[in-house]
Amino acid sequence: MAFDIEMIKKVYQKYPKVVEAARKVVRKPLTLSEKILYTHLWDGNAKTVFTRGEDYVDFAPDRVAMQDATAQMALLQFMQAGKNKVSVPSTTHADHLILAKLGADKDLQESLNTNNEVFNFLSSVCNKYGIGFWKPGAGIIHQVVLENYAFPGGMMIGTDSHTVNAGGLGMVAIGVGGADAVDVMAGMPWELKFPKLIGIKLTGKLSGWAAAKDVILKVAGILTVKGGTGAIVEYFGEGAKSLSATGKGTICNMGAEIGATTSTFGYDKSIERYLRATDRNDVADAANEIREHLTGDAEVYSNPETYFDQVIEINLSELTPHLNGPFTPDLATPVAEMKEKAVKNDWPLDVEWALIGSCTNSSYEDLTRAASIVEDAVNKDLKPKATLGINPGSEQVRFTAERDGLMDTFKKFESTKIFTNACGPCIGQWDREGADKQEKNTIVHSFNRNFAKRADGNPNTHAFVGSPEMVAAIAISGRLDFNPITDFLTNENNEQVKLAEPNGIELPKNGFAVEDNGYQAPAQDGSNIEIVVNPESNRLQLLTPFTPWNGKNIMGAQLLIKAEGKCTTDHISMAGPWLRYRGHLDNISNNCLIGAVNAFGGKTNAVVCQIDGTTDEVPNVARKYKAEGITTIIVGDHNYGEGSSREHAAMEPRHLGVMAVIVKSFARIHETNLKKQGMLGLTFSNESDYDLIKEDDTFNFTDLSNFSENKQLALEVVHSDGNADTIKLNHTYNQAQIDWFKAGSALNLIRKQNNQ
Ligand code: MIC
Ligand code: SF4
């Protein structure tokens, strides 16, 4: 039986009527995305048509998911909201804090030892407030959600950008910062700008070495890391139906890498099969009853140009394997072209590690496809040239894969490392031997992100993203430019052999199995549970509310850093070793912007402090300004804050005295996170004004006291020679968001309302 089946049935019950109401208002056939959005309006039935990309709309998501690295901050905030219990079904998953080093058993025990305090905190907060807790080792949040909670036509939010993975089962699932999760868990509306819609028509059928992963690798190449910003990507067509549910999950998962709000697929046979295989006949039966509402209208899919803002068509039959990278997930290269491109760019061709796992690609089917390659190689007397590392997505996947002999197959390569069912190397939780030498090298993985330093902390590691079967093939060949379709390998007997095409099993023939799935149900009544946070702790710190705005224009602000080029959330608040401070705002603030490249001098973590003229690390300089009561600002380039949902990237600068972040453009989640934490997230009206900003300028916000919706703000930039430029800044704040700014943060406002 599914978790929360009554809630799901309630959602389905209202579907026919609410979709009908939406149809009347919109007066057009509806896409699946619109059906889900309109059935989840906070105010009930649709009364007006919303303008895509413009109107802010209040929604009522069905559920919330959080992972350990973001849940700490989300729950610390929730504890301040003054509620006894969460208002919608919510779960927390312990998956990010587990280091990959020696192999699953030892690593998991080590992680329990080192993160005990945090896991206990999460477990007791969950217990108290009615939140399900998936213990360390249970699996990666998005795989566990797909197996247990995702349901067609539902809406969920999660404090992780890859929450979008649940689109594989036909949800609208959106990644958010913890403060947004607090809204929903506290029973308040959740606001989102009504998204634009991108339709992707899939024709044909995958074959040979092409995998679902290659669909999104190709899409990322077409749309780039910001092409999906503010949009839901809806996949449809015969090709979509031919993909497995977990394959659909892979595609939706990496929609985060193109900045999309989320991605989704209509309910179909493969989704039904997956629901039944994961013990959710009840959900499948209920979905079947309203099946026509759980996909886009036929007319929409016949004439997509009329209904979507942008349409892309991909023929799966023509798709070939891709590798994306290095350093950015949208640099797409068909494997057949890799040789030439790699040589031209001087990318190291020898591969040392090949990693399979992450929320993107760690399903049972993924493991079977990769295992088929390993089996074939063993049969052909091939030995791997690179080390294969594997993180299964969940205990259920691992247990079933073990039972079915897949793990034994992987272990036929002596060097294979099976790590814990957790994020591991994907989030820098990888104790890779020799990484500290910072040598230039190449790795391939089936993850989604490959920003500099992400997996092993080495800025010179060139990471390429591919399908699990391509990663397995490269483990064997040890070469980045290996094309399994055309290339031969020399085996132990000096024979030239070719790898057979991958052969996967969509769902385990004998069903999924698991002994202990690692789930902890919350107490029925948690009122007596006391949450203790040791004031001496290095890992956890209760939050002190941010100071409200004093109503005055900000004058005399200094520049903390002008970031140049790519500045993702990994650059703003690095993960890896820093994950350990995710529950301690002051300590984690010591990583604030240490990865951002200073436009003056091109170095990372070296900025000039205008108080004393010294060059120091970014967090130190910020603390000096703060100690002197000087407000600071950050200036950035395009797609600032790309990547993760971690609100630490907003809270840290806020904690260190930054009040405004002024950039050429923002990534969606980060922009919202800044607003939620009571900061000014602004964009240059004239992009080239970025060039005007000098290291020693002083900044005056001259009309902040008139901060209002749809009205630009003025910024006076006073240069050291006394000359000044006044520039215009755009913003997207609505009145409610301006109120967050005034209150000092959205949470300050919630607390005020709950205390009234
Ligand atoms: C990531 O993949 O970058 C993470 C780690 O899962 C983040 C969340 C975090 O920073 O904790 C994400 O994608 O939102
Ligand atoms: Fe974990 Fe990596 Fe997925 Fe983020 S992208 S949730 S770190 S597996």
Side-chain angles (χ1 to χ4, degrees), residues 94-95 98 104 135-140 390-399 407 418-424:
D95 56 358
I98 304 163
K135 294 184 264 187
I140 306 173
I390 296 181
N391 285 85
S394 70
E395 176 56 12
Q396 174 160 282
V397 164
R398 190 208 62 80
F399 191 94
M407 293 307 183
I418 310 282
F419 296 124
T420 320
N421 315 316
C423 304

PDB file of all heavy atoms in Angstrom, residues 94-95 98 104 135-140 390-399 407 418-424:
ATOM      1  N   ALA A  94      18.141  11.133   4.987  1.00  0.00           N
ATOM      2  CA  ALA A  94      19.558  11.274   5.334  1.00  0.00           C
ATOM      3  C   ALA A  94      20.404  10.642   4.231  1.00  0.00           C
ATOM      4  O   ALA A  94      20.568   9.420   4.185  1.00  0.00           O
ATOM      5  CB  ALA A  94      19.831  10.607   6.676  1.00  0.00           C
ATOM      6  N   ASP A  95      20.890  11.463   3.333  1.00  0.00           N
ATOM      7  CA  ASP A  95      21.606  10.915   2.168  1.00  0.00           C
ATOM      8  C   ASP A  95      22.858  11.702   1.779  1.00  0.00           C
ATOM      9  O   ASP A  95      23.780  11.169   1.184  1.00  0.00           O
ATOM     10  CB  ASP A  95      20.675  10.836   0.952  1.00  0.00           C
ATOM     11  CG  ASP A  95      20.056  12.183   0.614  1.00  0.00           C
ATOM     12  OD1 ASP A  95      20.314  13.162   1.337  1.00  0.00           O
ATOM     13  OD2 ASP A  95      19.305  12.268  -0.382  1.00  0.00           O
ATOM     14  N   ILE A  98      26.919  11.304   3.878  1.00  0.00           N
ATOM     15  CA  ILE A  98      27.651  10.035   4.000  1.00  0.00           C
ATOM     16  C   ILE A  98      28.841  10.006   3.037  1.00  0.00           C
ATOM     17  O   ILE A  98      28.676  10.073   1.818  1.00  0.00           O
ATOM     18  CB  ILE A  98      26.696   8.851   3.737  1.00  0.00           C
ATOM     19  CG1 ILE A  98      25.509   8.954   4.717  1.00  0.00           C
ATOM     20  CG2 ILE A  98      27.427   7.520   3.877  1.00  0.00           C
ATOM     21  CD1 ILE A  98      24.315   8.133   4.334  1.00  0.00           C
ATOM     22  N   ALA A 104      30.543   0.565   1.306  1.00  0.00           N
ATOM     23  CA  ALA A 104      29.290   0.856   2.003  1.00  0.00           C
ATOM     24  C   ALA A 104      29.330   0.634   3.524  1.00  0.00           C
ATOM     25  O   ALA A 104      29.033   1.549   4.284  1.00  0.00           O
ATOM     26  CB  ALA A 104      28.169   0.058   1.376  1.00  0.00           C
ATOM     27  N   LYS A 135      16.284   6.972   7.320  1.00  0.00           N
ATOM     28  CA  LYS A 135      17.580   6.961   8.011  1.00  0.00           C
ATOM     29  C   LYS A 135      18.768   6.859   7.039  1.00  0.00           C
ATOM     30  O   LYS A 135      18.590   6.450   5.883  1.00  0.00           O
ATOM     31  CB  LYS A 135      17.600   5.791   8.990  1.00  0.00           C
ATOM     32  CG  LYS A 135      16.581   5.968  10.113  1.00  0.00           C
ATOM     33  CD  LYS A 135      16.665   4.872  11.139  1.00  0.00           C
ATOM     34  CE  LYS A 135      15.649   3.791  10.826  1.00  0.00           C
ATOM     35  NZ  LYS A 135      15.522   2.758  11.811  1.00  0.00           N
ATOM     36  N   PRO A 136      19.956   7.179   7.545  1.00  0.00           N
ATOM     37  CA  PRO A 136      21.152   7.051   6.697  1.00  0.00           C
ATOM     38  C   PRO A 136      21.235   5.641   6.119  1.00  0.00           C
ATOM     39  O   PRO A 136      21.046   4.660   6.850  1.00  0.00           O
ATOM     40  CB  PRO A 136      22.300   7.286   7.679  1.00  0.00           C
ATOM     41  CG  PRO A 136      21.706   8.006   8.841  1.00  0.00           C
ATOM     42  CD  PRO A 136      20.275   7.656   8.902  1.00  0.00           C
ATOM     43  N   GLY A 137      21.497   5.547   4.836  1.00  0.00           N
ATOM     44  CA  GLY A 137      21.586   4.237   4.194  1.00  0.00           C
ATOM     45  C   GLY A 137      20.285   3.836   3.509  1.00  0.00           C
ATOM     46  O   GLY A 137      20.261   2.901   2.712  1.00  0.00           O
ATOM     47  N   ALA A 138      19.189   4.551   3.799  1.00  0.00           N
ATOM     48  CA  ALA A 138      17.894   4.204   3.188  1.00  0.00           C
ATOM     49  C   ALA A 138      17.888   4.547   1.704  1.00  0.00           C
ATOM     50  O   ALA A 138      17.180   3.906   0.914  1.00  0.00           O
ATOM     51  CB  ALA A 138      16.762   4.931   3.896  1.00  0.00           C
ATOM     52  N   GLY A 139      18.656   5.572   1.339  1.00  0.00           N
ATOM     53  CA  GLY A 139      18.733   5.894  -0.075  1.00  0.00           C
ATOM     54  C   GLY A 139      18.720   7.379  -0.348  1.00  0.00           C
ATOM     55  O   GLY A 139      18.599   8.200   0.566  1.00  0.00           O
ATOM     56  N   ILE A 140      18.858   7.701  -1.625  1.00  0.00           N
ATOM     57  CA  ILE A 140      18.900   9.097  -2.045  1.00  0.00           C
ATOM     58  C   ILE A 140      17.463   9.624  -2.136  1.00  0.00           C
ATOM     59  O   ILE A 140      16.593   8.965  -2.712  1.00  0.00           O
ATOM     60  CB  ILE A 140      19.592   9.238  -3.420  1.00  0.00           C
ATOM     61  CG1 ILE A 140      20.983   8.587  -3.384  1.00  0.00           C
ATOM     62  CG2 ILE A 140      19.688  10.697  -3.836  1.00  0.00           C
ATOM     63  CD1 ILE A 140      21.673   8.538  -4.732  1.00  0.00           C
ATOM     64  N   ILE A 390      30.167   2.574  -7.396  1.00  0.00           N
ATOM     65  CA  ILE A 390      28.710   2.490  -7.548  1.00  0.00           C
ATOM     66  C   ILE A 390      28.002   2.906  -6.266  1.00  0.00           C
ATOM     67  O   ILE A 390      28.304   2.406  -5.183  1.00  0.00           O
ATOM     68  CB  ILE A 390      28.293   1.057  -7.931  1.00  0.00           C
ATOM     69  CG1 ILE A 390      28.895   0.751  -9.298  1.00  0.00           C
ATOM     70  CG2 ILE A 390      26.767   0.889  -7.944  1.00  0.00           C
ATOM     71  CD1 ILE A 390      28.590  -0.566  -9.870  1.00  0.00           C
ATOM     72  N   ASN A 391      27.056   3.835  -6.397  1.00  0.00           N
ATOM     73  CA  ASN A 391      26.166   4.189  -5.290  1.00  0.00           C
ATOM     74  C   ASN A 391      24.750   3.807  -5.691  1.00  0.00           C
ATOM     75  O   ASN A 391      24.127   4.514  -6.490  1.00  0.00           O
ATOM     76  CB  ASN A 391      26.166   5.701  -5.026  1.00  0.00           C
ATOM     77  CG  ASN A 391      27.405   6.181  -4.330  1.00  0.00           C
ATOM     78  OD1 ASN A 391      28.409   6.456  -4.973  1.00  0.00           O
ATOM     79  ND2 ASN A 391      27.336   6.293  -3.019  1.00  0.00           N
ATOM     80  N   PRO A 392      24.194   2.715  -5.157  1.00  0.00           N
ATOM     81  CA  PRO A 392      22.800   2.396  -5.482  1.00  0.00           C
ATOM     82  C   PRO A 392      21.878   3.499  -4.954  1.00  0.00           C
ATOM     83  O   PRO A 392      22.196   4.162  -3.970  1.00  0.00           O
ATOM     84  CB  PRO A 392      22.541   1.078  -4.754  1.00  0.00           C
ATOM     85  CG  PRO A 392      23.898   0.538  -4.412  1.00  0.00           C
ATOM     86  CD  PRO A 392      24.785   1.728  -4.250  1.00  0.00           C
ATOM     87  N   GLY A 393      20.723   3.675  -5.612  1.00  0.00           N
ATOM     88  CA  GLY A 393      19.837   4.792  -5.260  1.00  0.00           C
ATOM     89  C   GLY A 393      19.078   4.606  -3.971  1.00  0.00           C
ATOM     90  O   GLY A 393      18.724   5.569  -3.304  1.00  0.00           O
ATOM     91  N   SER A 394      18.787   3.357  -3.630  1.00  0.00           N
ATOM     92  CA  SER A 394      18.019   3.135  -2.403  1.00  0.00           C
ATOM     93  C   SER A 394      18.327   1.745  -1.888  1.00  0.00           C
ATOM     94  O   SER A 394      18.875   0.910  -2.609  1.00  0.00           O
ATOM     95  CB  SER A 394      16.521   3.240  -2.681  1.00  0.00           C
ATOM     96  OG  SER A 394      16.105   2.125  -3.454  1.00  0.00           O
ATOM     97  N   GLU A 395      17.928   1.486  -0.639  1.00  0.00           N
ATOM     98  CA  GLU A 395      18.152   0.159  -0.074  1.00  0.00           C
ATOM     99  C   GLU A 395      17.315  -0.863  -0.850  1.00  0.00           C
ATOM    100  O   GLU A 395      17.740  -1.989  -1.061  1.00  0.00           O
ATOM    101  CB  GLU A 395      17.804   0.164   1.419  1.00  0.00           C
ATOM    102  CG  GLU A 395      17.891  -1.178   2.109  1.00  0.00           C
ATOM    103  CD  GLU A 395      19.252  -1.893   1.999  1.00  0.00           C
ATOM    104  OE1 GLU A 395      20.242  -1.274   1.565  1.00  0.00           O
ATOM    105  OE2 GLU A 395      19.290  -3.098   2.323  1.00  0.00           O
ATOM    106  N   GLN A 396      16.145  -0.433  -1.293  1.00  0.00           N
ATOM    107  CA  GLN A 396      15.301  -1.353  -2.069  1.00  0.00           C
ATOM    108  C   GLN A 396      15.986  -1.748  -3.381  1.00  0.00           C
ATOM    109  O   GLN A 396      16.004  -2.918  -3.764  1.00  0.00           O
ATOM    110  CB  GLN A 396      13.949  -0.696  -2.345  1.00  0.00           C
ATOM    111  CG  GLN A 396      13.059  -1.493  -3.253  1.00  0.00           C
ATOM    112  CD  GLN A 396      11.600  -1.081  -3.106  1.00  0.00           C
ATOM    113  OE1 GLN A 396      10.924  -1.456  -2.158  1.00  0.00           O
ATOM    114  NE2 GLN A 396      11.127  -0.283  -4.052  1.00  0.00           N
ATOM    115  N   VAL A 397      16.578  -0.771  -4.053  1.00  0.00           N
ATOM    116  CA  VAL A 397      17.308  -1.071  -5.288  1.00  0.00           C
ATOM    117  C   VAL A 397      18.511  -1.953  -4.978  1.00  0.00           C
ATOM    118  O   VAL A 397      18.763  -2.951  -5.643  1.00  0.00           O
ATOM    119  CB  VAL A 397      17.756   0.233  -5.993  1.00  0.00           C
ATOM    120  CG1 VAL A 397      18.822  -0.045  -7.037  1.00  0.00           C
ATOM    121  CG2 VAL A 397      16.562   0.940  -6.630  1.00  0.00           C
ATOM    122  N   ARG A 398      19.244  -1.586  -3.935  1.00  0.00           N
ATOM    123  CA  ARG A 398      20.447  -2.352  -3.605  1.00  0.00           C
ATOM    124  C   ARG A 398      20.120  -3.790  -3.234  1.00  0.00           C
ATOM    125  O   ARG A 398      20.717  -4.734  -3.745  1.00  0.00           O
ATOM    126  CB  ARG A 398      21.206  -1.694  -2.441  1.00  0.00           C
ATOM    127  CG  ARG A 398      22.580  -2.300  -2.207  1.00  0.00           C
ATOM    128  CD  ARG A 398      23.041  -2.191  -0.761  1.00  0.00           C
ATOM    129  NE  ARG A 398      22.165  -2.900   0.153  1.00  0.00           N
ATOM    130  CZ  ARG A 398      22.197  -4.209   0.361  1.00  0.00           C
ATOM    131  NH1 ARG A 398      23.045  -4.984  -0.282  1.00  0.00           N
ATOM    132  NH2 ARG A 398      21.347  -4.779   1.212  1.00  0.00           N
ATOM    133  N   PHE A 399      19.126  -3.951  -2.375  1.00  0.00           N
ATOM    134  CA  PHE A 399      18.765  -5.283  -1.903  1.00  0.00           C
ATOM    135  C   PHE A 399      18.329  -6.155  -3.087  1.00  0.00           C
ATOM    136  O   PHE A 399      18.749  -7.301  -3.233  1.00  0.00           O
ATOM    137  CB  PHE A 399      17.626  -5.159  -0.878  1.00  0.00           C
ATOM    138  CG  PHE A 399      17.343  -6.437  -0.141  1.00  0.00           C
ATOM    139  CD1 PHE A 399      17.937  -6.688   1.087  1.00  0.00           C
ATOM    140  CD2 PHE A 399      16.478  -7.394  -0.672  1.00  0.00           C
ATOM    141  CE1 PHE A 399      17.671  -7.869   1.771  1.00  0.00           C
ATOM    142  CE2 PHE A 399      16.213  -8.576   0.002  1.00  0.00           C
ATOM    143  CZ  PHE A 399      16.812  -8.818   1.231  1.00  0.00           C
ATOM    144  N   MET A 407      25.142  -7.036  -8.111  1.00  0.00           N
ATOM    145  CA  MET A 407      26.293  -6.572  -7.338  1.00  0.00           C
ATOM    146  C   MET A 407      27.478  -7.515  -7.540  1.00  0.00           C
ATOM    147  O   MET A 407      28.617  -7.079  -7.650  1.00  0.00           O
ATOM    148  CB  MET A 407      25.935  -6.472  -5.846  1.00  0.00           C
ATOM    149  CG  MET A 407      24.920  -5.404  -5.568  1.00  0.00           C
ATOM    150  SD  MET A 407      25.474  -3.852  -6.268  1.00  0.00           S
ATOM    151  CE  MET A 407      24.225  -2.770  -5.761  1.00  0.00           C
ATOM    152  N   ILE A 418      31.708  -0.581  -4.068  1.00  0.00           N
ATOM    153  CA  ILE A 418      30.276  -0.342  -3.877  1.00  0.00           C
ATOM    154  C   ILE A 418      30.132   0.563  -2.667  1.00  0.00           C
ATOM    155  O   ILE A 418      30.487   0.184  -1.544  1.00  0.00           O
ATOM    156  CB  ILE A 418      29.490  -1.659  -3.627  1.00  0.00           C
ATOM    157  CG1 ILE A 418      29.828  -2.716  -4.680  1.00  0.00           C
ATOM    158  CG2 ILE A 418      27.988  -1.381  -3.529  1.00  0.00           C
ATOM    159  CD1 ILE A 418      29.182  -2.578  -6.011  1.00  0.00           C
ATOM    160  N   PHE A 419      29.661   1.764  -2.916  1.00  0.00           N
ATOM    161  CA  PHE A 419      29.498   2.723  -1.829  1.00  0.00           C
ATOM    162  C   PHE A 419      28.065   2.656  -1.281  1.00  0.00           C
ATOM    163  O   PHE A 419      27.206   1.944  -1.807  1.00  0.00           O
ATOM    164  CB  PHE A 419      29.803   4.145  -2.331  1.00  0.00           C
ATOM    165  CG  PHE A 419      31.233   4.334  -2.780  1.00  0.00           C
ATOM    166  CD1 PHE A 419      31.514   4.783  -4.066  1.00  0.00           C
ATOM    167  CD2 PHE A 419      32.293   4.081  -1.924  1.00  0.00           C
ATOM    168  CE1 PHE A 419      32.824   4.975  -4.494  1.00  0.00           C
ATOM    169  CE2 PHE A 419      33.615   4.268  -2.334  1.00  0.00           C
ATOM    170  CZ  PHE A 419      33.882   4.715  -3.622  1.00  0.00           C
ATOM    171  N   THR A 420      27.823   3.494  -0.261  1.00  0.00           N
ATOM    172  CA  THR A 420      26.512   3.505   0.403  1.00  0.00           C
ATOM    173  C   THR A 420      25.401   3.984  -0.546  1.00  0.00           C
ATOM    174  O   THR A 420      25.659   4.692  -1.516  1.00  0.00           O
ATOM    175  CB  THR A 420      26.579   4.470   1.616  1.00  0.00           C
ATOM    176  OG1 THR A 420      27.842   4.300   2.252  1.00  0.00           O
ATOM    177  CG2 THR A 420      25.469   4.203   2.607  1.00  0.00           C
ATOM    178  N   ASN A 421      24.173   3.609  -0.210  1.00  0.00           N
ATOM    179  CA  ASN A 421      23.002   4.113  -0.948  1.00  0.00           C
ATOM    180  C   ASN A 421      22.843   5.582  -0.563  1.00  0.00           C
ATOM    181  O   ASN A 421      22.067   5.913   0.339  1.00  0.00           O
ATOM    182  CB  ASN A 421      21.735   3.373  -0.527  1.00  0.00           C
ATOM    183  CG  ASN A 421      21.945   1.880  -0.442  1.00  0.00           C
ATOM    184  OD1 ASN A 421      22.569   1.298  -1.321  1.00  0.00           O
ATOM    185  ND2 ASN A 421      21.428   1.249   0.607  1.00  0.00           N
ATOM    186  N   ALA A 422      23.569   6.433  -1.202  1.00  0.00           N
ATOM    187  CA  ALA A 422      23.588   7.839  -0.795  1.00  0.00           C
ATOM    188  C   ALA A 422      24.207   8.678  -1.917  1.00  0.00           C
ATOM    189  O   ALA A 422      24.646   8.139  -2.931  1.00  0.00           O
ATOM    190  CB  ALA A 422      24.406   7.988   0.479  1.00  0.00           C
ATOM    191  N   CYS A 423      24.264   9.989  -1.714  1.00  0.00           N
ATOM    192  CA  CYS A 423      24.782  10.881  -2.764  1.00  0.00           C
ATOM    193  C   CYS A 423      26.283  10.666  -3.004  1.00  0.00           C
ATOM    194  O   CYS A 423      26.745  10.668  -4.139  1.00  0.00           O
ATOM    195  CB  CYS A 423      24.558  12.331  -2.379  1.00  0.00           C
ATOM    196  SG  CYS A 423      22.845  12.739  -2.014  1.00  0.00           S
ATOM    197  N   GLY A 424      27.040  10.541  -1.919  1.00  0.00           N
ATOM    198  CA  GLY A 424      28.474  10.258  -2.031  1.00  0.00           C
ATOM    199  C   GLY A 424      29.231  11.226  -2.927  1.00  0.00           C
ATOM    200  O   GLY A 424      29.122  12.452  -2.783  1.00  0.00           O
TER     201      GLY A 424
END
